C-alpha cells in the first residue's frame, strides 16, 4: 500500500506529468469550449469528434505543403468548421435528427481521413516550443503552463473570448435563450436554428484548431486513430462542468490528466497493467459522468430540435 | 425521431402539392447522385478510372468464385447489429457502442468454446446465448447510467467501446483468461485459442459458395424484429416511447423499464453478432485485438440507411457487406480500400436529406393552411 502511495506521489510531483497533462488538457479544452457554446444553444454536437479529426488532418496537410504552423492551424480551423457546417445545416436547417447526423458525419470524416492518409502518405510536423520568461519560473505549474508549443497560448486567449461572447454579447444571450426556451426566443424574434447553427460553427472552428494543435503542438504525426473518441470525452467535460465555462475547463484538465497519467506511469518505471492504463481515461470519464451529471442545470432544451409550431 | 416516417402525415390531401411524389423522387435521385459523384471524384483525384474500381468491387463482392458466400457471411453480423440499432432507435435511444458490445459477445463465445468442457452443439448454443447476454449487459451499463443519472447513452456507449477494446486486449494476453497456451502456435500473435471444430456453425455449400446458417438466423431475426415492432404490444410501447416519450409515459409505459429493455436488446443483437462471427470462423475462429473489424459501425450505418425498417435492413446489409468484400479486390486497381468507407457514409448522409426536406415542406404547408383558416 505504501508502495502505491509512494508511486502516486512520485507521479504527481513529476513536472513531466503536469506538462503532458496541460498539453492533453489543452487539446480537450479547445473542443470542450466549442462544445459548451453549442450545448448552451441547445444542441449536443456529436460532430466534435469529426471536427477534431478533420482539423488534425487539414492542419497536418497544410503544414506539410507550406511548412508553416500558422497556416496549418488556420487550415485546421477551416476543416473543422466545414465539418461543423455540414452537421449544423443538416440538423438545424433541415431538421434531420442531430444524433443521426452527428454519427454519420463522424463516420464520413473517419473514412475520408483514412482514404486521404493512405493516398497522400504519412504526414507530420511540429510547431516550436515557446517559453514565456518569468511566468514559466512559477514552481510546479510554471513549466507546465508557460513552456509549451506556441499554439497552446491560443487557448489562453480563447477562454476569455468565449466567456465574453457567451455572457457579454447580444449574440451570446440569444444563443443561451435558444438553449433554454426556444419557443420564447422565437417569439421574441431570435432566429433559434440560426443561433444553433452559428454556435456549432464556432465549436467547429475551435475543434478544428484543437485537432491541428494535437498534431502540430503535441503528437507530431497524423494517424486515423489519433483522436480516438476524445471528442466524446470533451462532451463529457461539458457535462462534468455543469455547463459552466470554469467547470468545463476543469473537466478538460482532469480528463487530460488521466491521459497524462497513462503516459507518465510507464516512463517513470512503474509496472501497471497496460490495458487498465489505456482504458483509464475512458473509465474515469464514465465514472465521473455517472456521479457528477447534474440534469437540473443543463440547458432546458438540450438535444430537443426546434421546429416552429411543434413542441 | 422527427424525420421518422409515420410521424408526420406525408401526403395530406387538400393542402396542395400534387407534384410531391415526383419532386421527392427527383430529390432522392439528386442526393444519391451527388454522393456518387463525390465518391467518383475522390477516385479520380487519386488518379484512377472509376470504371475499373466499380468492376473490381463487383468482382470481389459477387463474381469471383466463392465471393458471394463470403459477402453473405459478412452481411450476417452487420444485419444483426443493424436490427438491434433499429429496435433502439425506434424506442428513441442511440446506442452507438455496437463495436464494443460485439466484442463482448465474441469474448463470451470464446470463453465458452475454448475454456468449458462439454459437447459441441450444446457449447455452441450456450456460447451464442451467453454472447447475446454479454452484449446486452454491456449496453446495460449505458442504460444504468442513462436511467439512474441521465447520462446520454450516445456518449456512454461510445466511451464503452474503448474500454471493451482493452478488456479484449487483457483477455487475450492473460494466461488464465483466454490466451492461447498451445506452445506450437503457428504465429507469435497474441490471440485466443481457435474455437474447436465441434463448436463452429454448420456450413452449407451452395454452387461452390459456402454459406453459414448464421445468415438464415439473421434473416429470421429481421422478420422477428419487424413482427415485434409492428404487431405486438411491446413493439407498440417501444415505438410510442420513441415518437413521444411524454405521451408514452402518460399511457403507462415505464420510461426506465422499456428504455432499458430496448437498450439491452440492441446490445444483445450486437453481442449475438459477435458470437456468430466467431462461431462462423471469422479471423480463424480466434478472438484477436481487432476482431470487431468495424462491423459494429457498419451495422449502425445500415440501420440509419434503412430508415429503421427491419426488413429494409436485409438488402442494405448485403449492399454494405458487398462493398466491404469487394474492397478486398481494390488493391489491384491502386485505389485504397478505405474509399468504400467514404462511399458508405456519403450514401447515408445523402439519404438523410430527402425525408428532412419532405418534413420541412409539410410543415410549411400546414402553417400556410393554418394562416388561411385561422380567424384574424
Amino acid at each position: 500500500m505504501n508502495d502505491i502511495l509512494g508511486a502516486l506521489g512520485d507521479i504527481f510531483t513529476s513536472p513531466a506529468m503536469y506538462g503532458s497533462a496541460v498539453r492533453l488538457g489543452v487539446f480537450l479544452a479547445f473542443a470542450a469550449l466549442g462544445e459548451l457554446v453549442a450545448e448552451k444553444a441547445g444542441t449536443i454536437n456529436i460532430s466534435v469528434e469529426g471536427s477534431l479529426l478533420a482539423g488534425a488532418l487539414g492542419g497536418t496537410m497544410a503544414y506539410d505543403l507550406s511548412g508553416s504552423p500558422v497556416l496549418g492551424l488556420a487550415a485546421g480551423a477551416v476543416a473543422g468548421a466545414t465539418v461543423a457546417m455540414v452537421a449544423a445545416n443538416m440538423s438545424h436547417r433541415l431538421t434531420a435528427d442531430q444524433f443521426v447526423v452527428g454519427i454519420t458525419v463522424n463516420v464520413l470524416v473517419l473514412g475520408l481521413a483514412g482514404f486521404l492518409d493512405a493516398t497522400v502518405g504519412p504526414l507530420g510536423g511540429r510547431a516550436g516550443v515557446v517559453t514565456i520568461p518569468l511566468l514559466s519560473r512559477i514552481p510546479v505549474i510554471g513549466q507546465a503552463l508557460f513552456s509549451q508549443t506556441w499554439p497552446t497560448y491560443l487557448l489562453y486567449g480563447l477562454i476569455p473570448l468565449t466567456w465574453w461572447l457567451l455572457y457579454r454579447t447580444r449574440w451570446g444571450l440569444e444563443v443561451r435563450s435558444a438553449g433554454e426556451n426556444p419557443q420564447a426566443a422565437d417569439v421574441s424574434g431570435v432566429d433559434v436554428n440560426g443561433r444553433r447553427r452559428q454556435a456549432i460553427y464556432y465549436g467547429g472552428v475551435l475543434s478544428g484548431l484543437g485537432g491541428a494543435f494535437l498534431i502540430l503542438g503535441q503528437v507530431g504525426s497524423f494517424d486515423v486513430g489519433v483522436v480516438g473518441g476524445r471528442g466524446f470525452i470533451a462532451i463529457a467535460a461539458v457535462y462534468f462542468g455543469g455547463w459552466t465555462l470554469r467547470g468545463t475547463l476543469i473537466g478538460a484538465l482532469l480528463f487530460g490528466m488521466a491521459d497524462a497519467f497513462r503516459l507518465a506511469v510507464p516512463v517513470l518505471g512503474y509496472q501497471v497493467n497496460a490495458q487498465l492504463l489505456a482504458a483509464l481515461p475512458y473509465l474515469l470519464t464514465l465514472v465521473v459522468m455517472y456521479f457528477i451529471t447534474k440534469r437540473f442545470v443543463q440547458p432546458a432544451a438540450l438535444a430537443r430540435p426546434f421546429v416552429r409550431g411543434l413542441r | 425521431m422527427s424525420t421518422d416516417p409515420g410521424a408526420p402525415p406525408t401526403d395530406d390531401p387538400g393542402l396542395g402539392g400534387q407534384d410531391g411524389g415526383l419532386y421527392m423522387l427527383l430529390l432522392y435521385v439528386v442526393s444519391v447522385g451527388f454522393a456518387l459523384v463525390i465518391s467518383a471524384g475522390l477516385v479520380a483525384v487519386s488518379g484512377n478510372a472509376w470504371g475499373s474500381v466499380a468492376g473490381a468491387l463487383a468482382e470481389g463482392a459477387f463474381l469471383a468464385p466463392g465471393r458471394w458466400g463470403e459477402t453473405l457471411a459478412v452481411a450476417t453480423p452487420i444485419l444483426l447489429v443493424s436490427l438491434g440499432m433499429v429496435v433502439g432507435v425506434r424506442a428513441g435511444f442511440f446506442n452507438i457502442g455496437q463495436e464494443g458490445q460485439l466484442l463482448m459477445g465474441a469474448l463470451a463465445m470464446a470463453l465458452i468454446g475454448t475454456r468449458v468442457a462439454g459437447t459441441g452443439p450444446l457449447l455452441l448454443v450456450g456460447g451464442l446465448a451467453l454472447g447475446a447476454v454479454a452484449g446486452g449487459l454491456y449496453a446495460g451499463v449505458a442504460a444504468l447510467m442513462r436511467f439512474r443519472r441521465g447520462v446520454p447513452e450516445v456518449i456512454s456507449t461510445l466511451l464503452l467501446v474503448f474500454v471493451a477494446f482493452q478488456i479484449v486486449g487483457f483477455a487475450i494476453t492473460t494466461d488464465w483468461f483466454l490466451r492461447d497456451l498451445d506452445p506450437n502456435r503457428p504465429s507469435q500473435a497474441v490471440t485466443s485459442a481457435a474455437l474447436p471444430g465441434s463448436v463452429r456453425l454448420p456450413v452449407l455449400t451452395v454452387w461452390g459458395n459456402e454459406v453459414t446458417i448464421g445468415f438464415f438466423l439473421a434473416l429470421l431475426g429481421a422478420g422477428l424484429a419487424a413482427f415485434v415492432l409492428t404487431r405486438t404490444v411491446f413493439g407498440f410501447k417501444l415505438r410510442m416511447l420513441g415518437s413521444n416519450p411524454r405521451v408514452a409515459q402518460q399511457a403507462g409505459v415505464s420510461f426506465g423499464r422499456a428504455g432499458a429493455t430496448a437498450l439491452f436488446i440492441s446490445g444483445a443483437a450486437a453481442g449475438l453478432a459477435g458470437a456468430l462471427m466467431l462461431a462462423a470462423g471469422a479471423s480463424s475462429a480466434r478472438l484477436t485485438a481487432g476482431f470487431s473489424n468495424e462491423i459494429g459501425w457498419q451495422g449502425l450505418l445500415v440501420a440509419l440507411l434503412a430508415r429503421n425498417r427491419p426488413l429494409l435492413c436485409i438488402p442494405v446489409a448485403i449492399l454494405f457487406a458487398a462493398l466491404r468484400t469487394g474492397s478486398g479486390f481494390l488493391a489491384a486497381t491502386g485505389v485504397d480500400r478505405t474509399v468504400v468507407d467514404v462511399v458508405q457514409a456519403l450514401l447515408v448522409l445523402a439519404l438523410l436529406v430527402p425525408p428532412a426536406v419532405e418534413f420541412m415542406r409539410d410543415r410549411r404547408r400546414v402553417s400556410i393552411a393554418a394562416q388561411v383558416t385561422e380567424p384574424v
Side-chain angles (χ1 to χ4, degrees):
Chain A
M1 193 62 205
N2 269 331
D3 284 356
I4 296 174
L5 286 181
L8 283 178
D10 268 7
I11 290 162
F12 281 102
T13 50
S14 79
M17 163 84 188
Y18 287 100
S20 63
V22 167
R23 272 192 298 277
L24 293 158
V26 163
F27 160 65
L28 284 175
F30 271 114
L33 269 184
E35 180 65 20
L36 173 68
V37 176
E39 295 206 4
K40 279 286 188 190
T43 164
I44 301 184
N45 178 25
I46 307 276
S47 71
V48 263
E49 177 84 8
S51 285
L52 281 170
L53 189 59
L57 180 69
T60 328
M61 282 176 87
Y63 181 84
D64 260 30
L65 288 175
S66 66
S68 146
V70 179
L71 276 181
L73 280 173
V78 170
T82 311
V83 171
M85 268 174 127
V86 174
N89 282 292
M90 297 275 301
S91 52
H92 295 293
R93 195 186 287 276
L94 283 178
T95 63
D97 188 279
Q98 55 184 297
F99 292 137
V100 173
V101 170
I103 295 163
T104 318
V105 165
N106 286 343
V107 176
L108 176 62
V109 174
L110 199 64
L112 266 177
F115 179 73
L116 287 175
D117 192 35
T119 313
V120 182
L123 299 160
R126 285 196 76 160
V129 173
V130 175
T131 304
I132 296 183
L134 246 64
L135 284 176
S136 62
R137 300 242 199 91
I138 304 170
V140 187
I141 57 162
Q143 279 283 324
L145 286 175
F146 299 106
S147 175
Q148 297 280 6
T149 47
W150 65 263
T152 311
Y153 304 122
L154 266 182
L155 183 75
Y156 300 167
L158 281 170
I159 295 168
L161 176 71
T162 305
W163 174 81
W164 180 75
L165 269 177
L166 259 184
Y167 297 103
R168 285 295 179 273
T169 64
R170 185 194 175 94
W171 182 81
L173 182 64
E174 291 185 358
V175 159
R176 284 181 289 137
S177 70
E180 289 294 346
N181 194 337
Q183 277 78 23
D186 183 52
V187 169
S188 351
V190 174
D191 177 4
V192 171
N193 281 322
R195 291 295 165 274
R196 288 185 174 176
R197 287 198 297 271
Q198 289 151 7
I200 296 179
Y201 300 159
Y202 184 75
V205 170
L206 258 59
S207 300
L209 281 175
F213 164 79
L214 178 68
I215 306 297
L216 300 178
Q218 195 190 330
V219 180
S221 68
F222 181 81
D223 173 83
V224 179
V226 77
V227 176
R230 277 184 286 181
F232 288 84
I233 295 189
I235 300 176
V238 177
Y239 274 75
F240 171 82
W243 292 271
T244 62
L245 187 67
R246 200 186 319 133
T248 301
L249 288 173
I250 295 174
L253 256 184
L254 177 76
F255 295 140
M257 207 168 211
D259 235 355
F261 184 77
R262 167 177 72 92
L263 298 174
V265 167
V267 173
L268 290 173
Y270 293 102
Q271 293 287 321
V272 180
N273 183 300
Q275 284 86 24
L276 182 65
L277 265 186
L280 186 70
Y282 305 103
L283 278 177
L284 180 79
T285 309
L286 284 165
V287 170
V288 163
M289 278 194 98
Y290 184 84
F291 286 108
I292 304 276
T293 299
K294 290 173 264 182
R295 258 171 295 182
F296 50 88
V297 293
Q298 78 178 28
L302 189 62
R304 295 218 190 109
F306 175 74
V307 179
R308 186 176 290 163
L310 280 187
R311 275 190 71 97
Chain B
M1 268 176 74
S2 50
T3 55
D4 205 5
T10 45
D11 42 355
D12 204 345
L15 288 174
Q18 274 84 16
D19 59 334
L22 191 66
Y23 179 82
M24 287 312 295
L25 187 70
L26 202 68
L27 206 57
Y28 272 103
V29 171
V30 168
S31 36
V32 171
F34 196 61
L36 291 181
V37 165
I38 295 182
S39 319
L42 271 181
V43 172
V45 164
S46 62
N48 293 280
W50 57 269
S52 67
V53 170
L57 282 178
E59 191 77 11
F62 297 110
L63 302 178
R67 291 309 285 179
W68 64 260
E70 178 65 22
T71 299
L72 290 188
V74 174
T76 304
I78 295 181
L79 178 56
L80 276 172
V81 168
S82 72
L83 292 175
M85 179 75 184
V86 165
V87 173
V89 173
R90 280 293 189 93
F93 300 100
F94 283 91
N95 167 14
I96 58 172
Q98 282 90 352
E99 196 82 2
Q101 290 139 18
L102 187 148
L103 278 174
M104 288 298 112
L107 184 100
M109 180 81 222
L111 257 183
I112 298 285
T114 60
R115 288 287 193 259
V116 178
T119 52
L122 202 68
L123 286 184
L124 176 63
V125 174
L128 291 179
L130 209 71
V133 171
L137 287 181
Y138 205 61
V141 176
L144 184 81
M145 294 180 74
R146 169 73 199 257
F147 299 114
R148 273 280 175 78
R149 310 290 301 191
V151 178
E153 74 283 354
V154 192
I155 300 169
S156 56
T157 48
L158 186 103
L159 292 176
L160 282 167
V161 172
F162 294 93
V163 178
F165 277 123
Q166 299 309 325
I167 294 178
V168 167
F170 175 72
I172 58 178
T173 49
T174 310
D175 286 352
W176 57 261
F177 205 161
L178 271 179
R179 186 179 193 164
D180 189 4
L181 298 173
D182 182 2
N184 343 304
R185 223 166 0 171
S187 72
Q188 284 303 89
V190 190
T191 64
S192 80
L195 225 53
S198 58
V199 195
R200 307 264 186 95
L201 275 184
V203 173
L204 311 173
T205 307
V206 190
W207 303 314
N209 277 273
E210 291 185 341
V211 185
T212 61
I213 62 164
F215 182 68
F216 301 104
L217 266 178
L219 285 184
L220 216 65
L224 187 71
F227 177 77
V228 169
L229 278 176
T230 56
R231 294 279 179 274
T232 64
V233 174
F234 174 67
F236 179 67
K237 279 183 180 173
L238 288 189
R239 284 187 294 133
M240 186 154 66
L241 195 63
S243 43
N244 194 335
R246 213 179 303 165
V247 169
Q249 271 172 302
Q250 274 161 10
V253 179
S254 155
F255 185 65
R257 193 184 300 167
T261 314
L263 274 175
F264 180 87
I265 292 175
S266 74
L272 180 63
L276 266 180
M277 271 170 81
L278 194 70
S283 75
S284 319
R286 292 166 186 273
L287 187 67
T288 58
F291 180 80
S292 53
N293 205 3
E294 304 196 341
I295 293 286
W297 294 113
Q298 302 265 302
L300 198 157
L301 289 183
V302 166
L304 297 183
L305 192 59
R307 287 267 197 82
N308 302 316
R309 304 233 187 83
L311 294 180
L312 214 55
C313 283
I314 300 171
V316 179
I318 294 177
L319 171 73
F320 271 43
L323 280 171
R324 248 178 105 81
T325 48
S327 73
F329 276 42
L330 278 182
T333 66
V335 178
D336 194 76
R337 59 182 303 164
T338 46
V339 75
V340 167
D341 301 342
V342 183
V343 175
Q344 288 175 344
L346 276 176
L347 270 181
V348 178
L349 205 59
L351 285 175
L352 284 178
V353 174
V357 171
E358 190 181 21
F359 177 72
M360 299 268 294
R361 273 167 56 101
D362 280 332
R363 289 303 310 161
R364 203 165 298 150
R365 232 180 282 154
V366 169
S367 81
I368 290 170
Q371 276 165 18
V372 170
T373 52
E374 229 170 78
V376 184

